[in-house]
Amino acid sequence: MDEDALGLESLLQHLGEEKGAWGPAAPPLVQTSTFVFESLVQFDQGMVDLDSRLPAYTRVSNPTTQLAQRKIAAIEGAESCLLTASGMGAISAVIMANTRAGAHVVAVENAYGPTYNFLEYLRRFGVNTTWVDGRDADAVLSACRPETSLIYLESPTSGLFRMQDIGAIASFARERGIATAIDNTYAAGIHQKPLAMGVDYSLHTVSKYFGGHSDVVAGAACCSKARMEQLRADENQLLGATIGPFTSWLVLRGLRTLPLRLAQSERSVQALAGRLTDHPAVDEVIYPGLPSHPQHDLFRRQMSGTAGLLTVVPKVQERARLGDVFQRLRLFKLGVSWGGHESLAVPMSPHPMDWAEPRHCIRFYCGLETTEDLVEDAWNALMALA
């Protein structure tokens, strides 16, 4: 199959699914822990080549997982992809692959909470992290030291949607031999191409848009073949964050509808953002697609669209009063995460380093319900604070 001649939607349906002996429309689930071989030559190949079509053990490789990895790599424009048992499985593996005792990491302040916790956890092993406001590229660059081995980005962040100048930071890092990694979950690999901008690793919580049905917990790391060789040989095998074949099979199902779901989610969040800017109970709507967003110009330069997320800062700053909003919501359910078919809303109190004066917020995720229904639901619920 000529991958360069096909659009993304076609690749997600057909890449790696050349007709087999039985001709199944959906790829079969290879639900096994181990594989057997017909000869010693085949066995040796399977044990040495971790990307072999002759896998030896599912902790290392599995045909169902390999197919899902090929499709995600195609989305990102990457040479290789590694699926893991959770988003943190991918994030921690990449961080550990690029640090050792005495190493230094520069990371954005308002990264995903468990990522922050993991980097702080590594201090006990002699890995130190400097947290910077990623909106200021100069702050990121000036924080680097001779021992800096990794710059960790998340753009946009999933709560306050703060962005970094990916190209400028990646260019600086490459000149100095510093690895770069970015959590690209928000953009679903479609609206932003970090690897094309010079980043070394693009990471995803597959539980979000790639899975798409709120029934998968998984992660993904995309990078070059050379970097993946180390990741597979060391962190993938030794840390044990292995994704199971059935989970990979569910990911394959989710990937087929990814562009359609992302488009519907974005249509709804655009409508919601425009409407809530006029709400009497809302002090601020944080959404990078709005011209009023302070980084809107950067958004237009390095992204082609948004996720279905926005954050509302209500004028009423009493957390107990937020409960009235959630009681009124009919379609938005109170829950963490995003990227699935269902719409969600969750209270947020950003980390003190994010704002000089921490403020209570509500993050909305628009799923696949009718756009007008979601707008009406959020509007009516927020009237509890008017």
Side-chain angles (χ1 to χ4, degrees):
M1 179 181 295
D2 183 1
E3 298 181 20
D4 294 333
L6 295 178
L8 177 61
E9 292 82 359
S10 297
L11 284 176
L12 292 178
Q13 310 310 319
H14 298 287
L15 179 63
E17 298 187 32
E18 291 75 12
K19 185 177 180 181
W22 305 314
L29 166 63
V30 184
Q31 183 68 48
T32 186
S33 61
T34 193
F35 299 82
V36 296
F37 299 86
E38 295 182 357
S39 69
L40 182 59
V41 172
Q42 285 189 350
F43 175 82
D44 288 343
Q45 180 183 349
M47 294 300 290
V48 172
D49 185 356
L50 301 184
D51 255 340
S52 172
R53 296 300 178 91
L54 298 170
Y57 194 57
T58 285
R59 180 170 61 83
V60 179
S61 62
N62 174 280
T64 305
T65 299
Q66 287 174 332
L67 179 56
Q69 289 173 163
R70 285 189 66 188
K71 291 180 185 286
I72 293 175
I75 294 171
E76 275 283 3
E79 292 180 341
S80 295
C81 170
L82 172 67
L83 278 169
T84 59
S86 69
M88 281 306 300
I91 291 168
S92 60
V94 166
I95 290 174
M96 294 191 71
N98 291 279
T99 55
R100 53 186 44 82
H104 175 249
V105 178
V106 176
V108 294
E109 287 176 342
N110 51 344
Y112 178 52
T115 302
Y116 173 89
N117 295 338
F118 182 71
L119 284 167
E120 289 296 302
Y121 168 83
L122 288 181
R123 291 186 188 275
R124 69 177 69 180
F125 302 109
V127 177
N128 294 308
T129 298
T130 298
W131 299 96
V132 297
D133 186 337
R135 293 172 294 180
D136 181 358
D138 289 337
V140 177
L141 308 186
S142 62
C144 293
R145 310 171 184 169
E147 67 271 25
T148 302
S149 61
L150 177 66
I151 297 176
Y152 189 90
L153 309 174
E154 182 177 326
S155 184
T157 57
S158 62
L160 299 179
F161 315 117
R162 293 177 175 175
M163 290 170 278
Q164 299 97 57
D165 189 331
I166 298 171
I169 294 170
S171 177
F172 171 91
R174 289 220 164 176
E175 290 176 358
R176 288 156 180 79
I178 302 171
T180 49
I182 185 171
D183 187 332
N184 198 33
T185 304
Y186 175 99
I190 291 179
H191 287 325
Q192 184 167 264
K193 304 294 184 182
L195 300 182
M197 290 185 259
V199 172
D200 295 311
Y201 300 89
S202 187
L203 304 169
H204 290 270
T205 297
V206 175
S207 319
K208 307 297 194 288
Y209 272 123
F210 285 172
H213 295 76
S214 299
D215 54 10
V216 160
V217 175
C222 299
C223 60
S224 67
K225 288 183 179 179
R227 291 185 179 276
M228 186 59 72
E229 285 181 6
Q230 178 199 343
L231 205 59
R232 288 192 189 283
D234 295 335
E235 288 74 21
N236 178 41
Q237 291 202 58
L238 301 179
L239 298 180
T242 303
I243 189 173
F246 182 61
T247 302
S248 296
W249 188 80
L250 291 175
V251 172
L252 285 170
R253 175 203 58 183
L255 292 175
R256 296 189 188 281
T257 60
L258 172 62
L260 297 172
R261 290 184 288 102
L262 187 61
Q264 172 60 21
S265 188
E266 185 176 12
R267 279 193 294 270
S268 292
V269 78
Q270 286 174 344
L272 184 61
R275 187 77 174 98
L276 292 186
T277 54
D278 297 325
H279 198 287
V282 171
D283 186 49
E284 182 181 2
V285 175
I286 305 174
Y287 172 65
L290 286 174
S292 59
H293 190 280
Q295 291 184 290
H296 184 69
D297 289 342
L298 178 61
F299 160 74
R300 290 178 62 86
R301 287 203 309 271
Q302 66 186 24
M303 300 191 71
S304 61
T306 69
L309 294 165
L310 65 76
T311 293
V312 164
V313 183
K315 293 178 180 178
V316 174
Q317 283 292 299
E318 300 172 36
R319 181 177 171 81
R321 291 282 307 278
L322 299 186
D324 298 335
V325 176
F326 292 102
Q327 288 297 316
R328 288 194 179 200
L329 288 170
R330 298 181 303 108
L331 300 180
F332 287 94
K333 304 302 181 183
L334 173 57
V336 299
S337 197
W338 47 274
H341 55 84
E342 78 288 3
S343 293
L344 296 168
V346 65
M348 296 178 59
S349 297
H351 194 280
M353 68 171 63
D354 295 330
W355 270 330
E357 297 181 7
R359 306 176 73 187
H360 295 297
C361 309
I362 301 174
R363 188 185 69 184
F364 289 92
Y365 163 68
C366 295
L368 303 183
E369 297 91 344
T370 304
T371 297
E372 292 76 14
D373 294 340
L374 292 177
V375 173
E376 180 182 9
D377 191 34
W379 181 276
N380 291 339
L382 285 166
M383 288 302 295
L385 303 179

